[in-house]
Every structure is written in structure tokens, then in C-alpha cells.
Amino acid sequence: MALILTQLSPSPSPSPSSPLPSLHLSPLSSRLNNLTMICSSNSQRTARTTLVPPLMLPKNRNLTSPVNLIRSQLRYPIISPDDHWGTWTALFATGAFGLWSEKTKIGSMVSAALVSTLVGLAASNIGIIPYEAPAYSIVLEFMLPLTVPLLLFRADLRSVIRSTGTLLFAFLLGSVATIVGTVVAFLVVPMRSLGQDNWKIAAALMGSYIGGSVNYIAISEALGVSPSVLAAGVAADNVICAFYFMSLFALASKIPPEASTSINDVAKDMESDSGGKLHVLQAATAIATSFLICKASTYLINLHGIQGGNLPAITATVVILATLFPTQFAYLAPAGDTIAMVLMQVFFAVVGASGSIWNVINTAPSIFMFALVQVSVHLAVILGLGKLFRLDLKLLLLASNANIGGPTTACGMATAKGWGSLVVPAILAGIFGIAIATFLGIGFGLTVLRHM
């Protein structure tokens, strides 16, 4: 300490009688000088306590109390963001729980996606897992794009048009009904409290109610929806879907099952593929193919400098390839469906974990009302157009299910109601919706909703 003071002093060696010229010292060196004089005195212990510089004491002495220490520890989750094994364990466990919940009465009503989202939301808000973690970025940047090709290995557009028949026409009417519902809902519930996110989330929900959740995320990423609004939209969407599916089953309660419950040959093949043993080579090839499609698509997007175009490009690429090489991609479809189902549940867990309950409470009511008006108008329009074109009610309800929920829920409804001949058309119609919804949502949002 004395050496430091000597170097800071302007004079080479001050006399013992003359005081150190403090005017030439910086505030830090003056504090060091005072501290040296205090430490050299062994008799004035009381003064030593009062003359300690402020830098040597905590600004808030209450932080050392046990209560404040406990409060400071609660600021951090049990599983820290740097605990990679713990974070991945929590995410996959949440996804597995969501899939298991569909075997229960409540879980089958609300869907695995909603359960995984709510469990992730609760776990992050009570301090079990973090709001942000490197694992979440990996899921959003890599695992989600990897899921898109796995979901669309059956997206042979020629097979869709050939096999769906009248159901495809009903599905297209439902897509028009969703667009009309989006415009009406945006006029009734403009969601102005969301700022510039209002038209973006409206476009994302429109894509979701033509295709599915993958389209919702793709449109949100392309348009730049904020994370809090994204999480609130997922929560509102899942709740709306749960009530909507119950309404569809209620409307179909008086429609009898088909006289013959035998499913056509294509459906039998799909059932045997999905219910049989998942071959290792098939699964490995499906994953490698999905990686290759993602690499090629993202390379082209980055080469042309298109922002937010990764998921739309991946979607377009896999649809083109599945149409050109239907046999090869249909062989990979069972493995792709299984892997994609698991990865999607992990994604929903991340969406929930990234959200704040307070933000969801403040944001979700307006989104919930918007989605409620949107699907209500959708149902009214599709039933009205169906009556105008004299379409069967069960085709309209199944097409609406494929619009709002996607191929999985449409297949489930056709199976549960005993409409065996419509199982495969429902799946293909839902896949067709996923293939087109992203482009419809982005285009309609930029050209119409943005200027309303």
C-alpha cells in the first residue's frame, strides 16, 4: 500500500513533518491513504469501523440476513440454464407426459400439445426450469425445422388430389371460411394492445386454422412475432381447439358410422406401417433425409439473403420432393410421423417454458377473443357454403377438423366416428393444408391484414 502511495505522490519523498499533498491525489488514492493510516493504528478499533471506505462495505447490509439470502436464491431456477442434461431431461419428460396424457379422459379432450405447453409454462414460472436456456435455442433453430420434412413425407400433391375427392373440395371451402373468419375477427377484435404484433398473430392463426401448428410457427418466425405474444397465441389456440373439437363431435353425434368399417387398401397399409415395428434403417434414413432437406433449403435462403424464409423454403422443398418421388418418401413416412410427434411435443414444452404467466394473462384475452370469433365465423361459413353446394355434413365437419386441427385430429375423428373410407382422405387433406397454409398466411398478412 505504501508503494502505491509513493508512486501516486507527485513529490519524491515528503518530509515527516509536512503532510502528504492530498490535492494532487485522486479520490481512489486518498481512500487508500486513509485505509493505510487506519490499519497502522492498533488502538483505535472503534474508529477503524467508522473510517472503513464505502467501497469495502456492501451497499445493502440486509443482504446478509437469512431471509434476504433465501430470496436471492429463489431468483434462480432449480435447473440452471447451464445445466444442459437437466434442461433436456425436463423438456423430453414434459413432452412424454403430454403424449401420455392423451390416454386419459381430460388429456384426450385438450390434446397433448396443450398439456406440454401448460406443464412447461408452469415449470418455468414456479422456478423449476429457466425461462431462457441454450437448449431452447437449439429446439427452435434446429429441431423445429427438422420436424417439418418428417411431417410432410406423405405430401404427394397428386395423391392428395386423386384420393381426397369431394373432401378436398370441402377442405378448400373451409380454407376460404378461415380467411373470411380472419377478416371479420380482425375487424371485431383488432388486438390494438399488441401493437405491430396484432396483424402478425392474426396471420399466424389464419395459417394454423388452414394447416396446423407448424404453419403457426413458420408464419410467426417469418413475420417476427415477439416471444410473449407467440406463447400467448399458442395457449389461446389450444384452448379454442379443445372446445371446437367438442363442438364438432356434438354436431356429428347423430351421423351414423359407415355400414362397412373396413378401410381401403391404402389405409390398411398406413395402419400396418404406423402400428408395426419402427425399423432402425427406416428411422435413420428419415432423419438423414430431413437434415439434407433442411441444409439445402437454408443454404438457398441464406444465399439470397431472405429473412425468416427457412421454414417456408423447407416446406416447399419437401412437398416438391414428395410429389416427384412419392414411393420413396411414403416408405419413410411412418418413421417420420413417429419422430416428428416426439419432437413437436418438445417444441411445445419450449414454447410454454419461454412464456411468462403474467404476459400470457395480459396478452391472451384479446388473442382468445380473436380466435373465438375467427373459428366461429369459419364454422358458420363452411356450413353455409356446404349447404349451398349440397355437400354431406360429415364431409364438412371432417374438413373443418382438418382445417383447425390438422391431419392428426382429422384422422382421429374419422376413426372414432367409424367413417373408415374417409380416414386416408382426411389425413391427406390435412397434409395438403400444412403444405399451403404457410404461404397463404404470410401473403395474406402482408397484403391485407397489415393495411387494415
Side-chain angles (χ1 to χ4, degrees):
M1 192 73 69
L3 178 61
I4 296 176
L5 292 175
T6 303
Q7 292 176 347
L8 293 175
S9 174
S11 58
S13 178
S15 61
S17 59
S18 61
L20 189 66
S22 59
L23 292 177
H24 298 279
L25 293 175
S26 65
L28 177 60
S29 59
S30 300
R31 291 179 179 179
L32 292 173
N33 185 33
N34 292 334
L35 182 60
T36 304
M37 290 187 293
I38 293 170
C39 294
S40 63
S41 176
N42 295 327
S43 59
Q44 299 179 353
R45 297 183 181 271
T46 306
R48 181 180 305 170
T49 304
T50 58
L51 294 177
V52 169
L55 290 178
M56 303 300 293
L57 292 176
K59 293 181 179 180
N60 188 356
R61 294 177 179 268
N62 292 331
L63 289 177
T64 59
S65 65
V67 175
N68 288 322
L69 183 60
I70 293 174
R71 289 177 180 174
S72 65
Q73 294 297 325
L74 290 177
R75 296 177 184 176
Y76 303 98
I78 296 175
I79 300 176
S80 67
D82 296 329
D83 184 1
H84 303 297
W85 285 109
T87 304
W88 284 112
T89 300
L91 293 178
F92 274 91
T94 301
F97 179 78
L99 292 173
W100 170 84
S101 68
E102 287 196 331
K103 296 183 178 181
T104 65
K105 186 175 181 179
I106 298 178
S108 62
M109 293 171 53
V110 300
S111 79
L114 179 59
V115 173
S116 297
T117 302
L118 293 179
V119 171
L121 184 68
S124 64
N125 281 269
I126 64 177
I128 298 178
I129 58 177
Y131 286 109
E132 298 179 357
Y136 301 170
S137 300
I138 293 175
V139 171
L140 297 176
E141 294 178 15
F142 298 100
M143 292 179 65
L144 178 62
L146 184 69
T147 305
V148 175
L150 296 172
L151 287 171
L152 293 175
F153 282 158
R154 300 187 196 272
D156 177 12
L157 295 182
R158 292 173 300 184
S159 176
V160 170
I161 296 173
R162 183 174 59 252
S163 303
T164 53
T166 309
L167 182 61
L168 179 61
F169 180 65
F171 180 85
L172 293 176
L173 291 180
S175 301
V176 173
T178 297
I179 296 174
V180 173
T182 302
V183 174
V184 174
F186 199 74
L187 293 175
V188 176
V189 188
M191 301 179 291
R192 301 191 189 281
S193 60
L194 303 182
Q196 285 299 311
D197 280 331
N198 65 339
W199 67 270
K200 298 176 183 178
I201 198 67
L205 287 172
M206 188 189 97
S208 178
Y209 295 152
I210 293 176
S213 300
V214 174
N215 305 105
Y216 173 86
I217 300 302
I219 296 170
S220 298
E221 177 188 299
L223 298 180
V225 178
S226 61
S228 61
V229 175
L230 176 68
V234 170
D237 171 52
N238 284 322
V239 173
I240 288 292
C241 286
F243 286 104
Y244 189 76
F245 294 148
M246 288 188 288
S247 301
L248 290 181
F249 273 94
L251 292 174
S253 60
K254 295 183 179 181
I255 301 177
E258 295 177 353
S260 176
T261 58
S262 61
I263 305 175
N264 57 35
D265 295 336
V266 180
K268 288 180 179 179
D269 292 338
M270 294 175 64
E271 184 178 353
S272 61
D273 287 341
S274 61
K277 183 179 179 181
L278 183 63
H279 298 289
V280 175
L281 178 60
Q282 191 180 15
T285 307
I287 295 174
T289 303
S290 184
F291 268 107
L292 181 60
I293 291 173
C294 292
K295 171 59 181 175
S297 302
T298 54
Y299 174 78
L300 293 176
I301 290 299
N302 294 333
L303 186 64
H304 293 85
I306 302 175
Q307 296 293 330
N310 287 340
L311 291 181
I314 292 171
T315 302
T317 302
V318 67
V319 170
I320 293 173
L321 291 176
T323 303
L324 295 177
F325 307 100
T327 304
Q328 291 79 3
F329 279 85
Y331 167 76
L332 302 176
D337 293 340
T338 302
I339 299 170
M341 187 178 300
V342 176
L343 296 182
M344 282 302 296
Q345 294 308 308
V346 174
F347 162 73
F348 284 118
V350 169
V351 170
S354 303
S356 168
I357 291 180
W358 181 253
N359 288 335
V360 170
I361 292 175
N362 287 335
T363 309
S366 60
I367 300 178
F368 180 85
M369 292 303 302
F370 174 87
L372 179 62
V373 175
Q374 190 179 27
V375 297
S376 300
V377 174
H378 160 88
L379 182 61
V381 172
I382 191 175
L383 292 179
L385 292 176
K387 187 175 182 180
L388 178 64
F389 289 99
R390 298 180 180 179
L391 296 178
D392 192 357
L393 179 60
K394 72 178 178 182
L395 290 177
L396 297 173
L397 297 178
L398 197 57
S400 179
N401 193 310
N403 279 128
I404 303 300
T408 304
T409 58
C411 174
M413 182 177 184
T415 304
K417 296 298 297 181
W419 304 334
S421 63
L422 295 176
V423 171
V424 174
I427 294 174
L428 295 178
I431 292 174
F432 178 74
I434 294 176
I436 66 172
T438 297
F439 308 103
L440 290 177
I442 294 174
F444 193 79
L446 291 174
T447 57
V448 179
L449 296 176
R450 188 178 185 180
H451 305 288
M452 288 181 64

